[in-house]
Amino acid sequence: MDQEDRIALFLDYENLALGVRDHHGGRAFDLRPIADALAERGRVVVRRAYADWSYFDEDRRMLTRSHVELIEIPQRMGASRKNAADIKMAVDAVELAFEREYISTFVIGTGDSDFTPLVHKLRELNKRVIGVGVENSTSALLPPACDEFLFYDRLEGVEVPPAAGRRGRAARPAGTGAPLPAGRPAEPPTEQPVETAPAAEEPARDVDTLSVLVAQTVAGMQGSSSGEVTASGLKRTLLRKDPTFSESDYGFRTFGELLRHLAGHNVIELAAGPAKGDPEVSLPERGDREVAFALLRSVVVDLAGEGGAAALSGLKDQLRRARPDFSEKKLGYRSFLQFCKAAATSGAVELRWSAEAEDYLLTPHTA
């Protein structure tokens, strides 16, 4: 238990509840998917939710059963009431960060960018911060500020209706506007034709794009550290690059399953690591890279002819004509020039700058 992260959960409840209602077809907010996700990350020792609970009578029962402390914010007019809840929640979180040193992780449940300064302050205090928000009502400023950001819509156990995000009225911006009184039914959609207001579709998540991201990240970690790259370290780095990253978005149940898939496609190599279940990750020393170097050399030979040279400009297009799936980024190189320099280092080609041509020139390597 001593090795477990201690987690404090703070919920800007009005923001979450209204976000779910407005973008999930009027459905009620459910804490269970969030609780399950946090259970996988550590031990939740503090649970607090902030709202004017006279508007959320049914929700109070659900939260109480989940042992959430309900912080009552007396009703005021409009935005001043919402600001009072935000201020109280921010003050309590910072106070807890100073008083409870054993709490290592703070979970801030909101999509409101007003909490970005709180996230920055908690991270200054050496606390890990996980954000949770409804995707269509979360400010774009908030997720990058966090160490990790969980979209409620993507959590296990949350069912998003096909028409999520399409309502009969304009969606309310996150953190603004008053909630509906308890018991009042959700407004019916207008009679606008479906074809004029199509539902927002989930953007495609390409495994090839993921392969590029992982290969580039491993290459960068290998170049900036003398130590080995472990799976856990790689996952932390990916989350630092994109706090919303989740292997489940690409169809994998675990990060280990994702790594095994990439290893099977020769994007990375896995070896036994310092701890069980935490393998070392590296880029293939041979395999696809050697094949790519040989491809580059053959294309340069075809273009240069006897005693000639091939210019770097346009060379990548020639490689893709010979091999349409070629991508230097899948091999861990950030640019085509970097790939060509690596090929020159390996002896596949020779590379030099030509002031006359104002370009790099490549020639087949001669012994």
Side-chain angles (χ1 to χ4, degrees):
M1 182 178 292
D2 290 340
Q3 301 300 318
E4 290 182 320
D5 281 340
R6 264 63 167 190
I7 299 174
L9 172 63
F10 287 80
L11 299 176
D12 176 13
Y13 195 77
E14 179 177 325
N15 181 279
L16 291 175
L18 294 183
V20 171
R21 188 201 68 187
D22 288 349
H23 299 290
H24 287 205
R27 297 185 182 184
F29 171 79
D30 183 7
L31 180 65
R32 176 51 54 188
I34 295 177
D36 289 344
L38 297 183
E40 298 167 356
R41 289 162 172 78
R43 181 182 173 210
V44 181
V45 296
V46 174
R47 299 175 178 86
R48 295 180 185 174
Y50 297 73
D52 181 346
W53 296 108
S54 64
Y55 288 103
F56 302 102
D57 189 53
E58 291 298 323
D59 304 57
R60 293 177 64 173
R61 296 184 179 88
M62 177 268 296
L63 294 171
T64 301
R65 286 194 297 269
S66 299
H67 310 288
V68 176
E69 180 183 0
L70 307 182
I71 308 300
E72 179 73 40
I73 305 299
Q75 183 174 2
R76 295 183 175 88
M77 294 300 294
S80 64
R81 174 182 54 77
K82 182 65 172 69
N83 290 340
D86 294 354
I87 294 170
K88 172 65 173 169
M89 179 169 148
V91 169
D92 286 357
V94 173
E95 182 180 48
L96 196 68
F98 280 106
E99 291 183 349
R100 304 288 188 269
E101 292 185 1
Y102 58 83
I103 295 180
S104 58
T105 301
F106 281 74
V107 178
I108 308 300
T110 186
D112 194 340
S113 62
D114 289 347
F115 285 96
T116 304
L118 170 63
V119 172
H120 289 316
K121 178 56 63 177
L122 291 172
R123 295 185 69 184
E124 285 179 18
L125 296 173
N126 197 31
K127 305 298 183 182
R128 184 167 184 258
V129 181
I130 301 175
V132 181
V134 179
E135 190 162 8
N136 288 334
S137 63
T138 293
S139 167
L141 300 176
L142 188 59
C146 301
D147 293 294
E148 182 179 4
F149 198 92
L150 306 175
F151 284 117
Y152 176 84
D153 321 61
R154 303 182 191 174
L155 295 178
E156 185 70 25
V158 176
E159 295 183 6
V160 181
R166 177 164 54 86
R167 303 286 292 159
R169 53 180 173 78
R172 181 186 294 108
T176 62
L180 290 175
R184 178 179 170 182
E187 297 179 17
T190 61
E191 296 182 0
Q192 186 177 10
V194 173
E195 60 271 19
T196 62
E201 295 183 358
E202 179 76 12
R205 300 186 184 276
D206 188 2
V207 177
D208 284 343
T209 303
L210 176 64
S211 300
V212 170
L213 174 63
V214 171
Q216 286 184 332
T217 303
V218 173
M221 293 175 71
Q222 287 179 330
S224 61
S225 173
S226 58
E228 299 294 337
V229 178
T230 63
S232 58
L234 176 60
K235 177 68 178 286
R236 287 193 297 269
T237 303
L238 290 172
L239 285 171
R240 283 194 288 268
K241 287 186 172 185
D242 178 9
T244 68
F245 170 80
S246 174
E247 59 275 3
S248 63
D249 291 338
Y250 299 89
F252 300 99
R253 295 168 296 178
T254 65
F255 190 63
E257 182 180 327
L258 182 155
L259 293 181
R260 290 190 293 273
H261 171 83
L262 296 181
H265 287 74
N266 207 34
V267 176
I268 58 172
E269 290 182 348
L270 299 177
K276 185 178 180 180
D278 192 15
E280 290 181 359
V281 185
S282 62
L283 294 175
E285 292 299 324
R286 300 189 65 82
D288 278 4
R289 245 193 296 190
E290 297 301 318
V291 171
F293 290 163
L295 173 66
L296 174 64
R297 187 181 189 283
S298 67
V299 171
V300 169
V301 168
D302 291 341
L303 293 176
E306 187 69 27
L312 180 70
S313 300
L315 184 58
K316 184 175 178 178
D317 290 337
Q318 297 297 325
L319 263 70
R320 284 185 167 169
R321 287 192 179 96
R323 182 176 170 182
D325 64 341
F326 170 80
S327 170
E328 74 280 358
K329 292 182 173 60
K330 287 185 181 180
L331 302 171
Y333 299 104
R334 298 183 181 277
S335 67
F336 185 64
L337 174 59
Q338 186 186 35
F339 165 75
C340 291
K341 288 180 176 179
T345 300
S346 73
V349 294
E350 293 180 355
L351 178 71
R352 62 181 175 86
W353 172 258
S354 170
E356 182 181 353
E358 296 185 346
D359 199 355
Y360 283 96
L361 299 180
L362 292 86
T363 56
H365 179 75
T366 56

